[in-house]
């Protein structure tokens, strides 16, 4: 079951007019929210980022946080899995094709939920491969915009060579992955690219830095050079659906000793424990 403009329906029945500005211009924003044991995880943070994205494209939020929460609860109940991931998408609505904003259009709201499958244990034990590419996206990567063509092309470059992700470099510095945030471990310190307009402020990124702070893991959020990335002891990938994964090969070279490292193992365990605490409602 999905939700489209006020109605719950099977996805096969969902229809969008061809003049929807999402279809014509990619004029919209989205969120992906993991759901564990039927509870949305870090919902307040996802809704806060949604507001930031909407503000970034000058579209007013069609719902209050309480209304979003109610809607998502209904959609979760209408779907079978205990663990799901919600895809929530808002466009500027249907209007005659013109780049400028329409005077009076009603935003299109589409929400779907799919079973959440976290990465297979094997990929956590051996680690995964990644490649690098020039970050050729726009300069508002902090907006979670539905216009993802550069990300699509960059991610496909990885898939073409059986890698899991493309790590992006802008002016010699690591920004993020095509659909994930990236952490570097050097000299035992966890390094995170700084949150700015060049990357999406990941919800999982924030959790990792909170866990580092709470558990006295040394970390720094600062610019990371290509040299530091290529000489890292460990590289970690984070996203709401992939959680934390170890990258053990970069551009066909081993990362560190080519095995998932101690920082990965520690953060992975802390993340799983944190999830359990939140799901029990003790956070
Ligand atoms: N950066 C990009 C470009 C992404 O698409 C994603 C995944 N949505 C992330 C980072 C990770 O963000 P989050 O931890 O909120 O899923």
């Amino acid at each position: 079951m999905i939700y489209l403009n006020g109605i719950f329906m099977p996805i096969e029945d969902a229809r969008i007019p061809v003049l929807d500005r999402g279809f014509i211009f990619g004029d919209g924003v989205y969120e992906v929210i993991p759901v564990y044991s039927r509870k949305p995880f870090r919902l307040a943070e996802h809704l806060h980022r949604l507001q930031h994205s909407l503000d970034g494209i000058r579209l007013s939020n069609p719902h209050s946080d309480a209304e979003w929460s109610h809607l998502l609860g209904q959609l979760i109940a209408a779907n079978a899995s205990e663990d799901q991931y919600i895809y929530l998408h808002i466009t500027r609505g249907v209007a005659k094709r013109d780049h400028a904003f329409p005077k009076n259009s009603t935003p299109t709201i589409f929400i779907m939920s799919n079973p959440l499958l976290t990465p297979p244990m094997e990929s956590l034990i051996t680690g995964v491969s990644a490649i690098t590419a020039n970050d050729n996206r726009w300069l508002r990567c902090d907006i979670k915009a539905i216009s993802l063509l550069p990300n699509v092309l960059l991610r496909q470059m990885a898939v073409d060579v059986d890698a899991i992700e493309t790590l992006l470099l802008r002016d010699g510095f690591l920004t993020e992955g095509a659909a994930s945030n990236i952490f570097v471990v050097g000299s035992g310190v966890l390094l995170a690219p700084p949150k700015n307009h060049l990357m999406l402020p990941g919800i999982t990124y924030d959790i990792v830095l909170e866990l580092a702070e709470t558990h006295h893991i040394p970390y720094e959020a600062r610019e990371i050079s290509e040299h530091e990335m290529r000489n890292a002891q460990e590289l970690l990938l984070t996203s709401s659906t992939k959680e934390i994964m170890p990258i053990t090969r970069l551009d066909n070279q081993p990362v560190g000793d080519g095995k998932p490292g101690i920082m990965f193992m520690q953060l992975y365990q802390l993340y799983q424990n944190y999830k359990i605490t939140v799901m029990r409602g003790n956070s």
Side-chain angles (χ1 to χ4, degrees):
M1 293 294 275
I2 64 108
Y3 172 91
L4 180 62
N5 296 331
I7 301 168
F8 289 91
M9 62 181 91
I11 192 156
E12 296 76 23
D13 295 347
R15 297 282 178 273
I16 295 286
V18 291
L19 284 181
D20 193 285
R21 290 176 63 95
F23 183 60
I24 297 285
F25 295 118
D27 183 1
V29 297
Y30 74 108
E31 266 302 319
V32 174
I33 307 164
V35 173
Y36 298 109
S37 304
R38 298 194 173 274
K39 284 192 205 153
F41 186 60
R42 300 277 282 207
L43 180 59
E45 289 80 358
H46 281 279
L47 293 177
H48 187 259
R49 186 172 65 183
L50 177 65
Q51 185 63 56
H52 174 80
S53 297
L54 288 166
D55 290 345
I57 70 161
R58 297 166 58 190
L59 184 58
S60 57
N61 196 333
H63 290 302
S64 66
D65 282 7
E67 287 166 348
W68 283 123
S69 178
H70 181 66
L71 264 181
L72 299 186
Q74 287 178 290
L75 189 72
I76 293 164
N79 283 281
S81 299
E82 288 294 296
D83 295 347
Q84 308 178 14
Y85 71 94
I86 290 170
Y87 174 86
L88 187 168
H89 170 128
I90 308 170
T91 79
R92 211 180 302 276
V94 180
K96 183 173 176 295
R97 187 183 182 282
D98 179 4
H99 286 62
F101 299 169
K103 287 261 175 325
N104 302 303
S105 69
T106 310
T108 299
I109 305 172
F110 166 53
I111 320 174
M112 64 178 165
S113 187
N114 284 291
L116 176 63
L117 302 171
T118 44
M121 193 49 78
E122 193 206 319
S123 61
L124 303 178
I125 292 169
T126 58
V128 293
S129 301
I131 59 167
T132 55
N134 190 28
D135 191 344
N136 56 8
R137 301 173 302 163
W138 70 335
L139 295 174
R140 287 304 308 273
C141 297
D142 56 313
I143 298 174
K144 205 162 167 58
I146 62 169
S147 33
L148 285 172
L149 191 51
N151 305 64
V152 166
L153 295 171
L154 289 163
R155 170 56 83 78
Q156 187 60 37
M157 288 168 62
V159 171
D160 286 344
V161 294
D162 286 330
I164 195 171
E165 183 59 300
T166 305
L167 276 45
L168 306 177
L169 290 156
R170 198 188 286 268
D171 302 326
F173 293 96
L174 171 67
T175 53
E176 59 180 336
S180 59
N181 290 114
I182 304 295
F183 292 82
V184 170
V185 181
S187 309
V189 179
L190 180 68
L191 302 175
K195 279 208 258 183
N196 56 28
H197 60 290
L198 301 179
M199 69 166 232
L200 186 79
I203 306 300
T204 324
Y205 168 106
D206 279 346
I207 298 173
V208 165
L209 291 189
E210 283 170 28
L211 291 172
E213 174 75 33
T214 313
H215 296 275
H216 310 293
I217 297 170
Y219 72 92
E220 289 171 25
R222 61 157 172 83
E223 287 195 319
I224 301 168
S225 70
E226 177 171 358
H227 179 81
E228 285 177 295
M229 179 191 72
R230 294 204 185 276
N231 291 285
Q233 292 170 318
E234 295 180 47
L235 292 176
L236 311 180
L237 173 159
T238 67
S239 85
S240 291
T241 51
K242 294 203 162 76
E243 302 184 332
I244 307 180
M245 295 186 78
I247 297 172
T248 46
R249 288 192 79 77
L250 185 66
D251 290 335
N252 253 329
Q253 299 295 315
V255 176
D257 65 5
K259 299 195 191 86
I262 194 92
M263 185 71 84
F264 164 71
M265 291 182 209
Q266 189 179 2
L267 284 170
Y268 180 81
Q269 201 52 56
L270 289 171
Y271 190 83
Q272 298 307 321
N273 293 344
Y274 173 75
K275 253 168 54 179
I276 293 166
T277 314
V278 171
M279 265 136 52
R280 286 199 190 123
N282 304 333
S283 169

